[in-house]
Amino acid sequence: MTRIHRGTRREPAPSPELIDQVRGSARPLRGAGDLDPLVDRIGDARFVLLGEASHGTSEFYTWRAAISRRLIEEKGFSFIAVEGDWPDCHRVDRYVKGRGDAPASARETLRGFQRWPTWMWANEEVAELVEWLRGRNDSLSEERKAGFYGLDVYSLWDSLHAILEYVRKHDPAALPAAMAAFRCFEPFAEDVHDYAGAARFASESCEDEVVELLREMRRIKGRDEPPTPDQRETRFAAEQNALVLRDAEAYYRAMVRGGSETWNLRDRHMVETLERLVAFHGPDARAIVWEHNTHVGDARFTDMNARGEVNVGQLVRERREADGVVIVGFSAWRGTVIAGREWEAPMRRMTVPPGREGSWEDVLHRASGADALLLFDDAWNTSDALAVRGHRAIGVVYHPERERFGNYVPTVLPRRYDALLHFERAEALRPLAGVPVDERGEVPETFPSGV
């Protein structure tokens, strides 16, 4: 999940030359066939990172799905890895691969996402993609089935319970280490804030226990080689849960200190998980990543760099440039979105105002006025194109009436991404739980000047 806080900033007015450049570069975006230039640009790249400007916009999900389907079908990409918890996404992976203990349908599988914000993955747009993956995989051999995985670090308790279940069934020798970790966390009753406070102010930490458990889970790998793909994936998932447990423990301890450390811990964990997935799938593996723009758009070309923050896009470019990395950002000029007004508040359907004057959204609206695909190349090496402008970022907590006070990330757009999908009006996604009428949270279509 992404929380967005940015200060206000007056943007320079876009020059006629910049408007002309964007207008001349914008390609129409009406159907999957209009993605041909992007697919050609991706070429043989092994890493394709697909962003989103919010966690609650239908077009961002449906167009990422359209891109992903083409990459899996036409270029043999191995898996989709998302900004979601490993245990919940592992359940989705088992469903799309037809494992025997998987739920009966995509919707039933996705309803297992119970941690707020549930709508991020428990929505109709993802359900359609998951059903497509299941239908495609059913006719393929094990090594050609595309997977679905979670990269995030939040699932401390779920990962711990998954490890206990695994070692009880498959490796009792690791049970003492697992129980030691469980007993250490047990007094905090699955409340990460209580644990973080105790670890910070009372010097009570479970760091040693989770590090030892990860060592034990890694020793399991050397004992024998599981004979089937299903068993190999089950063991891999157990070790990954131990890695999540280690990094989540460090994340929640760092959380109370604030600063850039927690952000960097989280994004480095996501990159380490991505690398593990690529290694697990073999030397020809190719990866699709779905995360917020703030994670996949290269941090070096935003104000994150000045704050000492790194992100997935930057780290993958730095480590994997030789293998080919393509980063695709997303934007919308106006529309609606699903979000909450406070952390863990009920989800609401909110109106997104027109992009702030001088922002990249405003430039794209003035230049194109329609849904468009932009590919960035050497032609964008001009002072106008490389100027820093705000680029809207909506998190899971959102106050549209306060947009002039934040929600815009200072961005060098043609450097942050390799391509951008822009939508003039984007609609809220469709949560599986629905949006109660009394929780729509609409704000007026007319906003104060300067918003």
Side-chain angles (χ1 to χ4, degrees):
M1 286 123 21
T2 304
R3 305 191 209 192
I4 306 297
H5 303 285
R6 287 292 190 273
T8 183
R9 178 180 184 273
R10 183 170 293 279
E11 315 290 352
S15 67
E17 290 78 14
L18 177 59
I19 296 297
D20 287 343
Q21 180 176 11
V22 174
R23 183 179 293 124
S25 301
R27 303 166 187 260
L29 195 60
R30 296 163 300 218
D34 293 324
L35 294 171
D36 287 350
L38 176 59
V39 174
D40 291 342
R41 168 66 181 81
I42 290 168
D44 294 328
R46 291 183 61 195
F47 295 85
V48 175
L49 281 54
L50 304 178
E52 59 180 353
S54 84
H55 289 312
T57 300
S58 180
E59 281 80 0
F60 301 156
Y61 283 75
T62 56
W63 281 90
R64 288 190 300 186
I67 296 167
S68 300
R69 287 195 296 267
R70 290 199 59 178
L71 295 182
I72 291 168
E73 287 191 313
E74 299 172 28
K75 293 182 175 291
F77 272 68
S78 311
F79 59 85
I80 300 170
V82 307
E83 188 181 338
D85 291 340
W86 178 266
D88 290 335
C89 293
H90 180 58
R91 187 172 54 252
V92 177
D93 184 67
R94 295 190 68 76
Y95 175 75
V96 301
K97 291 174 180 171
R99 303 304 189 210
D101 59 348
S105 69
R107 285 168 180 78
E108 181 182 344
T109 304
L110 295 173
R111 287 192 178 98
F113 286 82
Q114 293 295 313
R115 186 172 58 78
W116 193 90
T118 57
W119 70 82
M120 267 184 68
W121 302 112
N123 60 66
E124 295 290 349
E125 288 80 357
V126 173
E128 291 169 6
L129 173 65
V130 169
E131 288 292 13
W132 177 85
L133 282 169
R134 173 61 182 266
R136 178 188 178 276
N137 285 343
D138 278 348
S139 62
L140 298 176
S141 59
E142 285 290 337
E143 61 272 13
R144 293 181 60 203
K145 292 183 177 182
F148 188 99
Y149 303 100
L151 297 175
D152 226 327
V153 74
Y154 291 122
S155 60
L156 189 156
W157 308 107
D158 286 347
S159 289
L160 179 55
H161 288 301
I163 292 167
L164 284 168
E165 181 180 357
Y166 175 84
V167 298
R168 283 169 175 152
K169 288 182 179 178
H170 303 287
D171 208 298
L175 187 57
M179 287 304 302
F182 178 80
R183 284 192 293 269
C184 186
F185 285 111
E186 191 175 20
F188 304 102
E190 302 196 5
D191 188 318
V192 295
H193 300 287
D194 281 356
Y195 174 73
R200 170 65 172 157
F201 300 112
S203 300
E204 297 178 18
S205 166
C206 298
E207 180 180 8
D208 292 343
E209 286 81 358
V210 299
V211 169
E212 177 56 33
L213 177 56
L214 179 58
R215 289 197 193 102
E216 183 63 25
M217 298 304 293
R218 285 176 169 168
R219 283 195 290 267
I220 290 174
K221 286 199 302 185
R223 293 173 187 163
D224 63 322
E225 182 63 23
T228 69
D230 186 3
Q231 291 169 332
R232 286 194 293 274
E233 286 194 348
T234 299
R235 177 175 291 184
F236 178 85
E239 183 184 343
Q240 180 61 31
N241 275 312
L243 180 68
V244 171
L245 187 62
R246 183 200 69 183
D247 290 350
E249 189 275 334
Y251 176 88
Y252 289 119
R253 274 192 292 113
M255 182 175 66
V256 296
R257 295 193 293 269
S260 62
E261 184 181 0
T262 50
W263 178 277
N264 290 344
L265 276 167
R266 184 181 172 209
D267 276 50
R268 291 186 187 281
H269 169 86
M270 291 194 282
V271 172
E272 182 178 358
T273 301
L274 179 61
E275 292 284 2
R276 292 190 72 244
L277 286 166
V278 169
F280 180 74
H281 285 82
D284 298 323
R286 304 177 76 179
I288 303 167
V289 175
W290 286 29
E291 293 191 320
H292 198 280
N293 288 341
T294 50
H295 293 294
V296 302
D298 193 325
R300 293 172 293 182
F301 303 102
T302 74
D303 63 340
M304 297 170 66
N305 189 54
R307 298 198 302 271
E309 294 176 349
V310 298
N311 69 0
V312 172
Q314 173 185 341
L315 295 172
V316 174
R317 273 181 170 174
E318 289 175 341
R319 298 181 183 187
R320 290 291 193 160
E321 182 180 6
D323 294 313
V325 180
V326 175
I327 301 177
V328 183
F330 285 69
S331 72
W333 182 58
R334 68 181 303 169
T336 56
V337 68
I338 297 295
R341 295 190 68 83
E342 304 295 341
W343 195 256
E344 296 189 347
M347 62 182 169
R348 299 170 179 241
R349 181 177 179 269
M350 304 182 192
T351 297
V352 178
R356 191 168 71 187
E357 186 175 355
S359 67
W360 281 112
E361 284 72 17
D362 179 51
V363 171
L364 291 159
H365 167 67
R366 295 192 198 193
S368 175
D371 297 351
L373 167 67
L374 284 83
L375 303 178
F376 300 125
D377 54 23
D378 290 342
W380 290 81
N381 291 333
T382 66
S383 58
D384 282 339
L386 298 178
V388 175
R389 294 182 179 277
H391 177 28
R392 180 153 50 199
I394 296 173
V396 291
V397 173
Y398 182 47
H399 295 272
E401 70 279 7
R402 302 178 190 171
E403 270 216 349
R404 58 182 166 179
F405 304 113
N407 287 102
Y408 285 82
V409 178
T411 293
V412 181
L413 199 72
R415 295 289 184 267
R416 190 178 180 189
Y417 309 117
D418 299 294
L420 181 83
L421 273 67
H422 172 73
F423 303 93
E424 274 293 286
R425 182 176 180 91
E427 301 299 329
L429 57 69
R430 298 165 290 155
L432 294 182
V435 182
V437 173
D438 62 346
E439 294 290 357
R440 290 177 65 83
E442 295 281 9
V443 296
E445 288 287 334
T446 301
F447 289 84
S449 175
V451 172

